[in-house]
Amino acid sequence: MSAINTLATVSRDACVAADRADSLAAFRQRFILPEGVIYLDGNSLGPRPVGALERVQEVVANEWGEGLIRSWNTAGWFELPGRLGDKLARLIGGQGGEAVVTDTTSLNLFKALASAIRIQQVDHPDKRVIVTERDNFPTDIYIAEGLADFLNSVVEATGRRYEIRLVDEQLPLEEALDGEVAVVALSHVNYRTGAMWDMREVTAAAHGRGALTVWDLAHSAGAVPVDLNGADADYAVGCTYKYLNGGPGSPAFIWVNARHQDRFWQPLAGWWSHARPFEMAERYAPASTINRFLCGTQPVTALALVETGLDIMLDADPAAVRAKSLALTDLFVALVEQRCGVHGLELITPREHAVRGSHVSFRHPEGYAVMSALIARGVIGDYREPEVLRFGVTPLFLGYADVWDAVEILRDILDSGAWDAPEFKARNAVT
Ligand SMILES: *Cc1c(COP(=O)(O)O)cnc(C)c1O
């Protein structure tokens, strides 16, 4: 957006003009958002797609209500995880047959990590370290710790324990990546800061040391370009309720490089991962396809909703989405610095385009109260410990004038001290 790049002279009129010239502007009509809200939390829970209610209505009233159990066959329920996985794969540089939509990101991470470890137990049995990041989303660390604890309870006798190694400023990835590392499990885009790893570079470095990679794409899928096959990644997981607008708690995805799919069972090998589930066979025989990564019966209504979100995303040009995301985040940062500069907001998101995702985070000592005051004024972002105001930038339904208006409300709240009120300091269960 050239009009917006001359930041010194940016005005609301320039933002309105940029919105008029925006090739993605029409996508706004494909979402239903409440009046009076500027929604900067599509990275945490995407808004409702047009057609979502009708789709649920169809599933509940017709497919379930009329079709009853026949709908597993007649309405395509049984194939949903794979059919949606094929659609989703197009957004992350995958092929058909490499992904399924199923379970939660946490569960899929367990399956991916355990499968990667299982491969390493055969290929490189001495590698016992799972590298992840201290600043990773907590569930990613907890799942790795839980897996290591379980494995250690089994291998106690051998004395060669699995361990988690956390990379941080003191221990950069290059140093952590020694010959003991079995798996490198990272979030591609950091949930708090928005910092983004170079997937290709990290994967090559991991492979160079004989390690496998598991990428968490929770803040990447639908937000930034991802090319899993181009990077030669091994496993990936991610959410559909964030940038993919699949609905609250919608099923997650797991992608597995074709070369690994047929090597071992994943440990949650329920009947849906069987080669022929309805043979009801006594002995387990894993599916040779990506269905091996399913576990049990799927949540059909929630899966159906995922498709309404995916179909919108698949209509958008990924290059245009990335360009607008960068333009909006640049604008957001510049306006906050120009208009709220005296209030001590500290940008914790990298400025450099190549190393950031699609959200912007600022630290402020009263971050929680400031965010609560913003939400009360209809500017919905979220708060993350410690002291972080997080603003998700979703190019399909946000425009340049939205960013301008959001920053003006932020400026007003900071200038007036309106955040400094007891009602903005009481913590909710979900922030
Ligand atoms: C949002 C998020 C999750 C959420 O996992 P769930 O199992 O869906 O609760 C996991 N990892 C990262 C990096 C996230 O951002």
Side-chain angles (χ1 to χ4, degrees):
M1 275 305 108
S2 57
I4 293 300
N5 281 341
T6 51
L7 291 166
T9 60
V10 98
S11 63
R12 195 173 191 286
D13 286 346
C15 292
V16 170
D19 282 334
R20 264 192 230 111
D22 173 15
S23 67
L24 295 174
F27 280 91
R28 170 85 171 235
Q29 265 60 62
R30 298 183 68 176
F31 295 93
I32 295 173
L33 284 151
E35 273 308 304
V37 161
I38 301 176
Y39 195 54
L40 297 166
D41 219 355
N43 57 326
S44 211
L45 174 62
R48 177 181 139 199
V50 168
L53 195 57
E54 293 72 10
R55 186 73 193 101
V56 169
Q57 174 86 23
E58 167 71 17
V59 171
V60 173
N62 298 336
E63 296 181 9
W64 178 22
E66 299 293 325
L68 294 166
I69 200 166
R70 294 169 289 194
S71 287
W72 283 107
N73 292 312
T74 57
W77 287 357
F78 190 64
E79 290 79 27
L80 262 181
R83 196 163 61 75
L84 298 180
D86 286 352
K87 283 195 174 188
L88 189 135
R90 285 153 54 191
L91 298 171
I92 54 176
Q95 300 283 323
E98 290 179 343
V100 275
V101 176
T102 188
D103 297 333
T104 65
T105 299
S106 302
L107 284 171
N108 288 336
L109 196 57
F110 181 80
K111 293 184 247 177
L113 278 173
S115 304
I117 290 287
R118 189 73 188 80
I119 289 174
Q120 295 290 47
Q121 282 172 345
V122 171
D123 291 356
H124 302 286
D126 291 333
K127 292 185 188 293
R128 296 281 163 138
V129 173
I130 300 172
V131 165
T132 185
E133 217 179 343
R134 189 175 302 284
D135 196 26
N136 207 338
F137 191 89
T139 208
D140 297 48
I141 302 177
Y142 303 162
I143 290 283
E145 282 180 324
L147 175 63
D149 181 65
F150 174 73
L151 291 168
N152 289 336
S153 71
V154 177
V155 299
E156 205 70 57
T158 72
R160 293 201 322 255
R161 296 173 64 82
Y162 283 87
E163 65 176 88
I164 310 299
R165 187 177 290 167
L166 299 175
V167 301
D168 56 18
E169 272 167 25
Q170 275 74 49
L171 181 67
L173 185 62
E174 312 82 81
E175 277 174 42
L177 201 50
D178 63 18
E180 296 182 321
V181 177
V183 185
V184 176
L186 296 171
S187 291
H188 181 224
V189 173
N190 184 276
Y191 79 101
R192 188 191 287 117
T193 63
M196 180 165 74
W197 290 99
D198 184 327
M199 185 183 286
R200 192 181 287 263
E201 199 178 282
V202 171
T203 302
H207 288 176
R209 303 306 306 251
L212 298 173
T213 53
V214 178
W215 289 101
D216 187 331
L217 305 180
H219 285 274
S220 309
V224 298
V226 178
D227 188 2
L228 288 167
N229 279 317
D232 197 29
D234 298 291
Y235 294 87
V237 300
C239 304
T240 64
Y241 54 79
K242 294 177 177 170
Y243 289 96
L244 298 176
N245 311 304
S250 59
F253 63 87
I254 178 165
W255 172 91
V256 182
N257 189 308
R259 70 170 167 266
H260 299 314
Q261 278 179 19
D262 206 13
R263 284 204 62 190
F264 294 101
W265 307 356
Q266 53 91 3
L268 302 180
W271 69 306
W272 276 57
S273 72
H274 194 278
R276 295 164 303 279
F278 284 90
E279 274 186 10
M280 301 290 180
E282 181 189 331
R283 297 299 300 272
Y284 182 68
S288 58
T289 64
I290 189 68
N291 281 356
R292 181 179 299 203
F293 287 82
L294 300 176
C295 181
T297 309
Q298 305 296 313
V300 169
T301 316
L303 276 174
L305 272 179
V306 170
E307 192 158 28
T308 58
L310 276 179
D311 284 345
I312 298 174
M313 192 56 75
L314 285 165
D315 284 345
D317 169 14
V321 172
R322 177 62 171 164
K324 184 174 169 191
S325 155
L326 290 171
L328 290 178
T329 45
D330 280 346
L331 177 67
F332 199 100
V333 171
L335 289 176
V336 168
E337 290 182 340
Q338 281 171 21
R339 307 184 78 80
C340 313
V342 295
H343 294 292
L345 289 163
E346 179 203 347
L347 179 70
I348 62 165
T349 302
R351 285 173 201 273
E352 197 190 325
H353 287 176
V355 294
R356 79 159 126 99
S358 197
H359 64 272
V360 179
S361 299
F362 293 92
R363 210 167 155 152
H364 186 281
E366 292 293 341
Y368 187 85
V370 174
M371 183 51 75
S372 302
L374 273 170
I375 293 171
R377 296 274 302 269
V379 178
I380 303 181
D382 60 24
Y383 173 79
R384 286 290 173 267
E385 292 294 346
E387 303 181 350
V388 174
L389 296 138
R390 189 174 69 156
F391 300 98
V393 171
T394 44
L396 293 193
F397 58 84
L398 282 176
Y400 297 87
D402 292 324
V403 169
W404 174 277
D405 294 341
V407 175
E408 274 307 284
I409 292 171
L410 175 62
R411 186 186 59 75
D412 187 56
I413 285 168
L414 291 167
D415 285 354
S416 66
W419 56 268
D420 194 6
E423 73 260 34
F424 297 136
K425 296 183 180 175
R427 300 277 169 128
N428 282 325
V430 174
T431 59

